[in-house]
Amino acid sequence: VAEAQRVDERRGALDLAPRLKLELVADDADVDAIVASIVKSAATGEIGDGKVVVSPVSRVVRIRTGEEGAAAL
């Protein structure tokens, strides 16, 4: 979780609205359920609810153990 700012120039003024950026890495089998949970929890129906972006991860390595792939998650 990281703090971020969204620049909103729609009203003719610069608004640096505080936001959270959440980055997750999950097994493919879990993605749909995770996205549904985030959307359900974050939706207010107002502008600025956010977005969910799903992108592939080509490789994951757990540094401590050297495990790779799903075992590293």
Side-chain angles (χ1 to χ4, degrees):
V1 176
E3 290 184 27
Q5 291 182 330
R6 177 181 59 92
V7 177
D8 185 356
E9 297 181 37
R10 289 173 290 171
R11 297 185 183 113
L14 183 63
D15 177 21
L16 298 177
R19 299 287 184 231
L20 291 178
K21 181 178 182 181
L22 177 65
E23 294 185 22
L24 303 171
V25 178
D27 192 82
D28 287 342
D30 300 326
V31 170
D32 289 339
I34 291 169
V35 169
S37 180
I38 292 169
V39 169
K40 182 179 178 182
S41 298
T44 67
E46 300 294 324
I47 292 174
D49 278 355
K51 295 172 183 64
V52 175
V53 177
V54 177
S55 52
V57 174
S58 61
R59 187 174 181 195
V60 177
V61 178
R62 184 185 309 261
I63 295 172
R64 180 177 51 84
T65 63
E67 293 170 295
E68 296 194 32
L73 298 177

